[in-house]
Structures are given as C-alpha cells and as structure tokens.
Amino acid sequence: MSAVHDYIDANLPRFREELFEFLRIPSVSARSEHRQDIRLAAEWLAAKMREAGLTVAIEATPGHPIVVGEWRGAGEGAPTVLIYGHYDVQPPEPLELWTSPPFEPTLRDGRIYARGSVDDKGQLYLHIKAIEAHLRTAGRLPVNVVVVAEGEEEVGSEHLIPFIEAHAARLKADAIVISDTTMVGAGIPTISASLRGIAYFELHVEGPSTDLHSGAYGGAVVNPAVALARILASLHDDEGRITIEGFYDDVRVDPEYRRELARVPFDEAKFREETGAPALGGEAGFSTVERLWIRPTCDVNGLLSGYTGEGSKTVLPARAMAKVSFRLVPDQDPRRVERLFREHVERVAPAGVRVAVRALHGGDPWRARLGGPLYEAAARALEKAFGRAPVYAGEGGSIPIVPAFERVLGAPVLLMGFGLPGENAHAPDEWMSLENFEKGTHAAAALLAELAG
Ligand code: BES
Ligand code: ZN
C-alpha cells in the first residue's frame, strides 16, 4: 500500500494541473448554450479515465451524457465498488462577484478557486487519481470498480435514474461511494448520514395582457407582483413553519438521530459568520443543525417581475414569477409535496390573476443505514488519510440519485465528502481545499484497499 501512497505524493502536482484543465471547461448543465462544453467535459473525463486504466464508454441520454468506466480484473469473487460523481456545475453568475474568473482556476491560500472545484469535479477526480495510483503501482485494483459520472446532477439527475434502471445488471455493485458532500470542519473527516430531498417549482402569475401605466391602471387592475408576494407570504407562519395543509404529515423525526446530531461538533457562531447574515433564523423549536439536517424547508430561489433597472419606472407588470423549492426529509415524497403545493396555491391565489405551477425536478430524502463492512472500511481509510476517526453528520443538500442507487442496485451508499464549511458551492468564489484534494485522494486509495478485505 505504501507504494500507492508514495505514487500519489510524487504525482500530486500533475494531478492538480489536470484538475485545473477539468475546471477550465464551463460544463454548466442548466444552460443550453453550454451543451458543447458539457460534451467536452464528458470527453475530457473519459480520456483521463482511460489513461488511468479503466474501460470507458460515453453513454448518450436525451439530456447530457453519462461517463461509465469499468475495471473488472479483481474477478467474480471480489467485491465491486461503484464510484459516483458529477462533472456538471452550477451557473457561475453573478460574475462580477468572483475574485478570479470562475473558469480560470486559481490557487490562493491553499484553496483552488473555480466553479465546480469542490462541487464536484475535484471530489470526483480524486477518485480517478486513486484508481490510477493502484493500477500504475500494483498493476491491479484491490476490488472491481465501476465509475459513473453524470452531467445532470445540478439539474435533478432526470436521465440517470432510468439509466441505472436499464443497466442495473451491468452496474451491480456491493457498495456505492460518493464524494460530493462537506466535512463539518477542517481536519475532521466526515461521513454524511442523511440527505434532504427536494421538490422544485416555478410559480407563474399573469395579470393584464401587457405592462400597464401604474397611474392609469393601478388600483383597478390586480398587480401580479403583489399577488405573487401574497402567495409567497402565505407559505410560512410567524414561527417559521410551512403552512401548506398536510405538509408535515409524513415528516418523521427519529429521536435517536436527533440526539446523535446534537453531539456533532458544529460551530454555530462560525456558521453565522460565514453567511454574513445579521442573525440566524428558521423554524421555532429546532436548533440550527436540526433546521439544516432533519427539518423540511420552503425557499424562494428566485423572483422576477416589473422594473428592476436604475431609477424609477411607474409600471404595473403584466406578470411575475418565483422559483420555489422545498427541501424534504424522511418520509416526505416530492410527488405528494407537488400535489399539496398546487392545492395550496390554488386556494390562496387572489382573484384577478391567473396562476400556474410548473414542476422542475424532485428527489427523495435519504438516511444512511450506518455500520457494516462499507462503513468500517471507510472509517479506517479516513483515519489513515486524516489521522483521526471520522464523525457522522447530517447534510442539508440533496443528491437525487442516492436513494435510487440503493433502491435499484440494492447496495449501501457511503457519502465520504471532502468539502469544507464556507466553500461557496453554488455561489461566487467557490473553492476546494488543496489539502483536502490530496488527503481525499489518499483516503479514496485506502478505501479501495480496505474494501478488498
Ligand atoms: N454537492 C451538492 C449536494 C450537497 C449540497 C452536499 C450541500 C453538501 C451540502 C450537489 O451537487 C447539489 O448541489 N445538489 C443539488 C441537487 C438539486 C439540484 C436536485 C442541491 O442540493 O441543490
Ligand atoms: Zn455536487
């Protein structure tokens, strides 16, 4: 094993250069003008996976392609590990808030700044380099490996679920390993024990057939922006609870998990400071980590209406739109939340406007079944790389494919992430710690060896 780790140490500068190449490709999945860049990123990754020694196919979907790499040399009797990650990234805007441009990776203060550095190109690529290290030194991997890298995670993984259903036999694995999550603090290796689900909508409000003079018409024609604001304001009560009827019916709080989360080393003051918000706030009766990890939310992710340029324009806008998403916890179902949201909107929509809800995407919540050989191997691998045992934490974000992997492939998922608090994922100045890229590569290599046992 030490030859593998020596190889990693000796080749780290090249690994970093390669990651920088990967980060220069603006593979923004949400934007159709980046379709070609997505394709380029898939091809770049496929080539690197081939160089590392995997057999690679780029699988077309009705959306963005899926890159599948395989190495089956450990034989039928050995376990198979499926490593999943995503090569697509979130839109980089607002560009003017970046210190260095989003697709010109820059190393500052031990951090790799670029869109996609931590989410998820750096965390995906370190697994490819761990595989390379084994194959170049030992000529083999300790286990069979399948790598699945998708280009649609940031837009809901719509085509990956049918893909794994259609290829369940080929993708059959004993364990699924994912690095796309965050550690609770620097130097504290973290295994994420839960993910929230998501249900994402656009809410459209239409009034008059065209924008109107707000003096000539205002007061006599219902304003779609005001109507939208009223609908949005109706979604929470003064205690921060979601007012949609039936919304909490399926929310299951596991008292034991709640107690475990209370012990996670979470620095609340630092968390607030990172956000820059004057104070934290949320659902009454729950702590910050509970609000993040075991309670559902309703958020407005975007708002559009009327005149927002310089100065004033007296206009009554013809339409208004909000992007609204819900984070979900066990046992909530995004399809049921959609039905309840539609019913709520219909009930509270003011007269005089037309209201339409458009569903964007959904994903199920997930809770890990901790323990067993996979989690024991991960604890040993993380301890080897970081010099201390991992902690178990919750996660507020969503990775829609995770529950589907467990359902379709019947294997447990391990979330072993190397992000850090304040990493600015989805925001300007996203970064990944270079040290975590290095230690993550060691941990990934050690995990493959530990899983052979
Ligand atoms: N890497 C994140 C998941 C994540 C979020 C981990 C926060 C740790 C903390 C993932 O790429 C992501 O952002 N997922 C989306 C999924 C959605 C678009 C379906 C999310 O959570 O918004
Ligand atoms: Zn991600």
Side-chain angles (χ1 to χ4, degrees), residues 86 119 153-154 156 180-182 198 327 361 395 397-398 400 426:
H86 62 94
D119 189 7
E153 196 274 346
E154 299 292 7
D180 191 21
T181 47
T182 309
I198 189 165
R327 296 284 170 175
H361 60 63
E395 191 63 83
S398 312
H426 298 200

Side-chain angles (χ1 to χ4, degrees), residues 3 16 94 128 134 190 235 281 288 301 328-329 342 347 365 370:
R16 192 211 308 159
I128 308 303
H134 277 283
T190 304
L235 290 168
T288 295
N301 301 107
L328 310 178
V329 301
R342 285 181 187 281
R347 192 165 60 75
L370 298 175

Side-chain angles (χ1 to χ4, degrees), residues 341-366:
F341 180 54
R342 285 181 187 281
E343 285 169 6
H344 178 91
V345 168
E346 227 162 85
R347 192 165 60 75
V348 301
V353 291
R354 270 184 302 275
V355 175
V357 172
R358 212 185 113 210
L360 293 181
H361 60 63
D364 291 324
W366 175 79

Side-chain angles (χ1 to χ4, degrees), residues 251-337:
V251 172
R252 178 170 53 80
V253 179
D254 175 352
E256 197 189 324
Y257 192 44
R258 207 175 170 188
R259 275 196 298 278
E260 279 165 32
L261 293 182
R263 291 198 297 267
V264 174
F266 183 85
D267 190 335
E268 187 152 333
K270 209 163 154 200
F271 175 80
R272 188 204 61 80
E273 207 178 295
E274 259 162 37
T275 66
L280 296 175
E283 188 184 356
F286 293 93
S287 69
T288 295
V289 296
E290 288 171 346
R291 288 168 176 172
L292 290 171
W293 297 342
I294 61 167
R295 297 302 293 169
T297 66
C298 167
D299 268 304
V300 176
N301 301 107
L303 273 175
L304 191 68
S305 189
Y307 180 70
T308 57
E310 195 184 350
S312 56
K313 176 187 182 190
T314 43
V315 65
L316 194 160
R319 58 191 69 231
M321 189 275 283
K323 305 244 182 193
V324 178
S325 69
F326 297 84
R327 296 284 170 175
L328 310 178
V329 301
D331 294 316
Q332 288 181 294
D333 173 357
R335 284 155 297 264
R336 178 160 187 273
V337 169

Side-chain angles (χ1 to χ4, degrees), residues 234-256:
S234 80
L235 290 168
H236 293 90
D237 67 15
D238 292 343
E239 302 276 78
R241 275 177 70 86
I242 295 157
T243 49
I244 295 174
E245 205 164 303
F247 183 81
Y248 290 97
D249 287 359
D250 301 323
V251 172
R252 178 170 53 80
V253 179
D254 175 352
E256 197 189 324

Side-chain angles (χ1 to χ4, degrees), residues 115-182:
R115 171 57 87 233
S117 54
V118 72
D119 189 7
D120 176 44
K121 287 173 170 171
Q123 298 205 65
L124 166 61
Y125 202 58
L126 64 86
H127 284 280
I128 308 303
K129 296 295 102 175
I131 290 168
E132 175 192 311
H134 277 283
L135 288 173
R136 289 286 160 78
T137 53
R140 63 187 304 280
L141 293 174
V143 290
N144 299 309
V145 165
V146 185
V147 178
V148 175
E150 73 157 315
E152 297 188 326
E153 196 274 346
E154 299 292 7
V155 288
S157 299
E158 185 187 341
H159 299 105
L160 185 59
I161 296 175
F163 180 83
I164 66 167
E165 280 168 347
H167 295 82
R170 171 180 169 204
L171 301 176
K172 197 175 149 9
D174 300 288
I176 294 145
V177 175
I178 303 176
S179 298
D180 191 21
T181 47
T182 309

